[in-house]
Amino acid sequence: MDESTNVLAWPTCPGYMTVKPLSTKSPCKVWLIRRESDQQYMVLKLSLTMENVASQRIHNVNAARKYVVDSYGMLSTQLGDGLLMEYCPGGSLAALMARRSNFTLAECVTALAPIAQAIAGLHAAGMRHGDISPSNIMLTAQGMPKIIDFQEASLSQDAAEVAGTPGFIAPETFTGAGEEELGARDVFALGSCLWYLLDGEPPDEPHYRPPVRVQFPGVPEIIQELLADSLDEDPLQRPTADQFARTLFSSIPAAPIHWEGFIDTDSNQLMDTIHPDVAARTKHRRAGSRRKAGKTSTVIPGDSGSWHGHRLRRTPGGAKVVAALAIGGIAIAASFLGVKYLLPGQPPDPAAQGAVPGETPGCRILDVGEVPACSFEADTVIASFLALSAARDRAMNSGDSSALRKIYVEDSEQLQRDRETLDSMRKLKLRFNGLETKLEDVSIQARGSADTVILQALSTHSSYTYVDAAGTLRHQVGAGDPERIQVEVELVDGQWFLGTVLSRSD
């Protein structure tokens, strides 16, 4: 079963939210998670191999640490222990190359020279990487490269076993011979990476490879020589990793790697690089602010869109229509689709009763290799969320506060807000008519502990009216603008309930 859709197969740990799988392999061993205390994104690797040991040992090599993905220690989940590592939102150089044109030489300096420096530090400490490739060079939020996936285990494995990425493996590796010069295979891989970034394909085998001067006539001669020497069949003829780095640095001034528009949309917001168009708009706004200096702006109370600052008061007699207008703002602002920032409520009571049919109570996935039949696919969770939203609309239109208990987790703050809205409407002898929430583009965003799932959707409320006890129309409200929302749903005794509204945006 695919872990990307099987929500309850995702690893969980108190204090962390599981955002998404970062691998297409099944069972998935690499996940993007977010620490709730500071909202920091990290990578969780569940496969406990010698790579994890190597990654932690790298931190003893000060010369290499700056351009090596940080390791934060171990984390226990219901699927076993995993290694917490730094998240690089820019993705790998291989993924970036798949979406854009070849690198310029100046970009190659930025991408590979620091990595070669880090590798030189490892070699000086008697270690090697073992699998340098564009797939294992990541871009940080600042657009700088960092290396991952150390294969130090290959030093202690059978000599006939080949470790590395095809296209970036030194030819002597296939002979099963030992490494005469420590790090020579890493240098071959660095040369292959440089060839790949400039050409778009890794170098062919020596007998089929065109001469460097023919393949790259436009690059400086010093780089042509660096490529030829790094890819030499004789390991003793290759430069050291330090010489590789120094040659790259001296060839041409480095330039920022152009990633804008070529990485995942979800990761784009985490990157620190300033886009030229954003900078231009910022400059324009600042200029506009200077032109408006000295002018007085008007602040409208409650304009933030939050329910704070809008208190319902009993309005006598003929002011009911005016009160209804105020309630209209409250009904939408206090709805679970309109609150901008709500604090989490109390944990759900296991004895809470649900209205949406669920699966067998106690359905939990404790082992990634054993997926029970009661596991929930993403479509099941989304369908339950849509059903809960529709049930809430019916409860708000009918004024039935008791029905809300079957929709929200017990003691939910949002449950209390909806109840207050209905109580105020009752005092005014008014009710909603035709209030309906349209949810589009619904998707799973993360999974937390205690079977909590975060969904994202585009929400729009329909036009609706206020009517009195006789059914007389007292006021009409137009349809709202679409909003992007994030909402928690919680699984309690096999049934889903609405939880906290985490955010909203236009």
Side-chain angles (χ1 to χ4, degrees):
M1 185 174 287
D2 186 1
E3 287 87 350
S4 64
T5 60
N6 183 13
V7 181
L8 295 188
W10 294 14
T12 61
C13 180
Y16 294 83
M17 299 295 296
T18 306
V19 179
K20 64 180 179 180
L22 291 177
S23 172
T24 57
K25 297 180 180 179
S26 183
C28 180
K29 297 294 185 181
V30 187
W31 300 82
L32 176 62
I33 66 173
R34 185 175 67 235
R35 189 164 57 194
E36 293 180 336
S37 61
D38 57 4
Q39 300 299 299
Q40 180 178 352
Y41 287 89
M42 302 178 183
V43 172
L44 173 66
K45 304 192 73 172
L46 292 178
S47 55
L48 298 181
T49 65
M50 283 298 294
E51 174 200 333
N52 298 351
V53 178
S55 296
Q56 294 192 357
R57 286 184 60 186
I58 293 306
H59 288 265
N60 296 325
V61 185
N62 292 329
R65 291 184 60 176
K66 185 175 181 180
Y67 298 105
V68 173
V69 170
D70 287 333
S71 173
Y72 303 131
M74 307 301 293
L75 182 70
S76 295
T77 75
Q78 90 282 17
L79 301 181
D81 292 339
L83 178 68
L84 276 181
M85 305 184 74
E86 176 186 6
Y87 175 52
C88 297
S92 69
L93 294 186
L96 185 59
M97 279 286 291
R99 299 182 178 183
R100 53 155 283 182
S101 59
N102 302 341
F103 277 38
T104 65
L105 180 57
E107 288 178 304
C108 290
V109 176
T110 302
L112 293 181
I115 297 301
Q117 271 191 326
I119 297 302
L122 297 183
H123 295 169
M127 292 184 288
R128 64 181 176 88
H129 184 278
D131 190 12
I132 300 174
S133 72
S135 296
N136 290 333
I137 300 176
M138 315 298 290
L139 288 181
T140 67
Q142 292 75 37
M144 292 302 295
K146 284 200 172 188
I147 191 77
I148 61 169
D149 281 355
F150 293 82
Q151 294 293 336
E152 189 186 39
S154 61
L155 293 177
S156 59
Q157 293 172 347
D158 183 67
E161 185 173 342
V162 177
T165 301
F168 303 89
I169 304 175
E172 67 271 16
T173 306
F174 298 98
T175 65
E179 191 171 25
E180 295 183 39
E181 186 74 20
L182 178 66
R185 297 179 185 179
D186 282 345
V187 173
F188 181 92
L190 285 169
S192 297
C193 287
L194 179 56
W195 184 295
Y196 173 82
L197 294 179
L198 291 172
D199 181 61
E201 297 288 341
D204 291 325
E205 296 180 13
H207 298 297
Y208 301 100
R209 187 188 309 152
V212 174
R213 287 179 171 80
V214 174
Q215 187 72 14
F216 303 107
V219 302
E221 184 176 352
I222 189 174
I223 296 300
Q224 293 176 348
E225 294 177 355
L226 178 64
L227 280 168
D229 293 344
S230 299
L231 299 176
D232 198 297
E233 290 187 82
D234 183 357
L236 298 179
Q237 299 303 314
R238 297 170 196 160
T240 65
D242 182 65
Q243 290 171 333
F244 188 98
R246 291 177 182 274
T247 302
L248 263 185
F249 274 130
S250 64
S251 66
I252 191 173
I257 298 173
H258 178 55
W259 57 263
E260 292 89 345
F262 299 107
I263 64 173
D264 292 337
T265 304
D266 293 341
S267 302
N268 192 75
Q269 60 180 334
L270 302 176
M271 299 294 284
D272 291 348
T273 304
I274 299 176
H275 298 266
D277 57 335
V278 174
R281 288 197 299 269
T282 303
K283 182 178 180 181
H284 177 74
R285 284 197 299 268
R286 290 175 179 172
S289 299
R290 288 193 294 268
R291 287 194 299 269
K292 295 178 181 178
K295 293 185 179 181
T296 304
S297 60
T298 302
V299 179
I300 302 175
D303 191 50
S304 63
S306 170
W307 49 267
H308 296 286
H310 295 275
R311 296 192 60 83
L312 290 170
R313 292 186 175 86
R314 185 163 185 156
T315 307
K320 285 186 178 180
V321 174
V322 177
L325 289 171
I327 294 173
I330 297 302
I332 301 306
S335 75
F336 82 98
L337 301 177
V339 178
K340 195 160 189 175
Y341 300 108
L342 284 181
L343 297 175
Q346 298 298 318
D349 187 343
Q353 299 297 315
V356 179
E359 301 288 342
T360 305
C363 173
R364 297 298 301 277
I365 293 178
L366 302 179
D367 190 307
V368 73
E370 298 180 5
V371 182
C374 60
S375 61
F376 285 94
E377 293 285 336
D379 289 346
T380 304
V381 182
I382 292 173
S384 298
F385 172 57
L386 295 175
L388 288 166
S389 174
R392 179 198 172 270
D393 288 342
R394 291 193 296 270
M396 296 300 286
N397 283 316
S398 65
D400 186 359
S401 293
S402 62
L404 295 174
R405 291 185 62 254
K406 302 176 182 179
I407 299 169
Y408 290 102
V409 294
E410 191 168 318
D411 297 329
S412 165
E413 180 175 351
Q414 192 52 49
L415 170 62
Q416 301 304 319
R417 298 294 169 192
D418 278 356
R419 283 177 171 173
E420 290 174 5
T421 298
L422 291 183
D423 287 343
S424 298
M425 294 284 285
R426 240 185 330 267
K427 292 176 181 178
L428 294 169
K429 297 181 179 180
L430 295 172
R431 65 179 177 84
F432 298 110
N433 183 47
L435 177 61
E436 182 180 353
T437 305
K438 181 180 180 181
L439 297 174
E440 300 175 293
D441 193 20
V442 184
S443 61
I444 301 290
Q445 292 297 298
R447 184 195 170 186
S449 58
D451 290 336
T452 299
V453 176
I454 297 176
L455 298 103
Q456 178 174 274
L458 190 65
S459 169
T460 310
H461 74 79
S462 66
S463 59
Y464 60 95
T465 60
Y466 294 90
V467 296
D468 57 22
T472 304
L473 173 66
R474 302 304 302 270
H475 181 65
Q476 185 167 355
V477 179
D481 295 326
E483 289 184 313
R484 181 67 61 179
I485 62 167
Q486 283 192 334
V487 183
E488 285 183 344
V489 294
E490 296 185 24
L491 183 66
V492 181
D493 290 337
Q495 298 184 10
W496 293 99
F497 295 84
L498 292 175
T500 305
V501 177
L502 301 176
S503 66
R504 74 167 188 178
S505 59
D506 296 334

